[in-house]
Amino acid sequence: MQKYLAAISLMALLTWWYWPQQQSNQASLAHTPEPQSAAIADTAESAPNVDDWRLPQPLLTEFNRLNEKARQQDPMAQYQLGRNLYFCYYSADNDVAHQQKLDELRQTGDSSASFANNYDRYSYCRGISRADKNRFADLLMQAAVAGHPEAAAEIGTVSAKLYLQATGQDKLERDAYVAARQAYLKHQQTLLENAAQTGHVNAIKLLLRDAMGQRMGEDSTAKALAYLQVLRHLEPEFADRYQWQEQRLLSTASADDISRAEQTALTLLKNATPHPPR
């Protein structure tokens, strides 16, 4: 009974937070003037945009410019170059290797979409060296450490195996490799938690992945409940899906798990902004 009372309390508190927040957001939007074009031009390079990582032309044409800015420790340039190199990581390194890949796709009867995607990726990445492609992990990590939330969320998608391979740590002795792997996973989780504090939806989803996989130790259940509550409000179009997962966890959660989930969820929601349905 104590467990269910705590659950009801959590939902009531979140509803209390979300309803006035939603009204406030709507009122704010209704009275927000459109930005001036000059202001947009002044901040275009510094404002992160999830849709702006890919360039309108092949990467090689802008590589030197981005590379120089990244060397100057510009987090946005580090993120954009790292994200582009991540996209290019699996592209062929030369024309011969690319043609061999296309021949393989023809022989295996792969879909036309796979063929087109492979061709597009190689065309965009052509001329980028393997050594530069391997830099994607370091660049994304540098941007994430500097506080770039998109970079942190992108690092969250990079497996420990791939990260160690790209950073040249895959040839370490077994004990050193295991230590490096654990250190990376711990750092990855910390960066995602930092991004989650800004209300970054993808970072919260990746943290939910780890919590549901019991990769957060004894805090796994409490944190999973918290992330589900937050996502249910940030993505109302998927509320039923998140609520279903939440109910499954509540059936085994302790009263302490629910209480800690309540505090974590309310803290995250202070900086979060619900986005409109897609």
Side-chain angles (χ1 to χ4, degrees):
M1 177 63 71
Q2 184 180 6
K3 179 193 302 184
Y4 292 104
L5 287 174
I8 291 170
S9 173
L10 170 60
M11 293 180 68
L13 280 168
L14 288 170
T15 301
W16 166 83
W17 174 89
Y18 182 62
W19 176 252
Q21 179 77 12
Q22 201 175 36
Q23 299 301 316
S24 174
N25 286 344
Q26 289 172 353
S28 175
L29 286 172
H31 295 87
T32 301
E34 294 203 354
Q36 298 300 312
S37 58
I40 295 174
D42 289 341
T43 60
E45 277 199 9
S46 60
N49 187 323
V50 68
D51 297 321
D52 284 350
W53 67 266
R54 180 163 174 163
L55 303 167
Q57 60 277 331
L59 176 56
L60 191 62
T61 62
E62 292 290 322
F63 180 82
N64 288 338
R65 179 184 66 82
L66 281 173
N67 195 41
E68 181 57 31
K69 294 188 71 174
R71 290 186 188 282
Q72 294 170 9
Q73 304 303 306
D74 181 325
M76 184 57 187
Q78 290 171 333
Y79 164 71
Q80 190 172 23
L81 182 56
R83 184 65 184 83
N84 273 280
L85 293 174
Y86 190 13
F87 176 74
C88 293
Y89 186 78
Y90 291 107
S91 66
D93 292 335
N94 53 60
D95 292 348
V96 173
H98 174 56
Q99 189 57 53
Q100 288 175 343
K101 181 61 178 179
L102 295 183
D103 291 342
E104 288 175 14
L105 292 174
R106 289 192 189 95
Q107 291 170 8
T108 57
D110 214 325
S111 68
S112 57
S114 295
F115 190 94
N117 288 339
N118 192 277
Y119 190 88
D120 169 68
R121 188 184 298 261
Y122 182 69
S123 298
Y124 183 78
C125 302
R126 189 180 185 191
I128 303 298
S129 71
R130 173 52 52 187
D132 280 322
K133 291 173 186 177
N134 287 341
R135 291 173 55 212
F136 85 87
D138 275 335
L139 287 163
L140 288 176
M141 181 62 78
Q142 289 172 41
V145 169
H148 196 297
E150 290 294 342
E154 204 61 38
I155 275 291
T157 70
V158 181
S159 70
K161 180 179 179 180
L162 176 56
Y163 182 84
L164 295 177
Q165 178 180 321
T167 54
Q169 300 179 72
D170 55 329
K171 298 295 190 289
L172 292 171
E173 294 294 330
R174 184 180 183 281
D175 289 348
Y177 181 89
V178 171
R181 180 181 185 278
Q182 290 304 112
Y184 168 69
L185 291 173
K186 183 177 181 180
H187 196 192
Q188 181 189 58
Q189 200 169 96
T190 298
L191 292 170
L192 286 173
E193 288 173 343
N194 292 342
Q197 292 297 326
T198 70
H200 196 286
V201 171
N202 286 341
I204 296 171
K205 287 181 179 178
L206 289 164
L207 287 169
L208 174 61
R209 170 203 66 186
D210 290 344
M212 294 292 282
Q214 295 295 304
R215 293 194 284 273
M216 295 184 175
E218 62 182 16
D219 290 332
S220 293
T221 299
K223 287 191 173 181
L225 282 170
Y227 299 141
L228 285 168
Q229 285 286 339
V230 173
L231 288 170
R232 195 150 60 87
H233 288 82
L234 295 184
E235 295 193 323
E237 67 270 36
F238 301 127
D240 289 345
R241 178 194 304 171
Y242 296 132
Q243 189 171 18
W244 175 78
Q245 291 176 287
E246 182 187 355
Q247 291 303 316
R248 286 184 59 195
L249 283 176
L250 284 172
S251 66
T252 58
S254 67
D256 183 57
D257 287 331
I258 295 170
S259 176
R260 285 186 290 127
E262 172 186 324
Q263 296 304 315
T264 300
L266 289 174
T267 297
L268 290 174
L269 283 168
K270 286 179 182 178
N271 297 320
T273 303
H275 66 69
R278 293 172 185 137

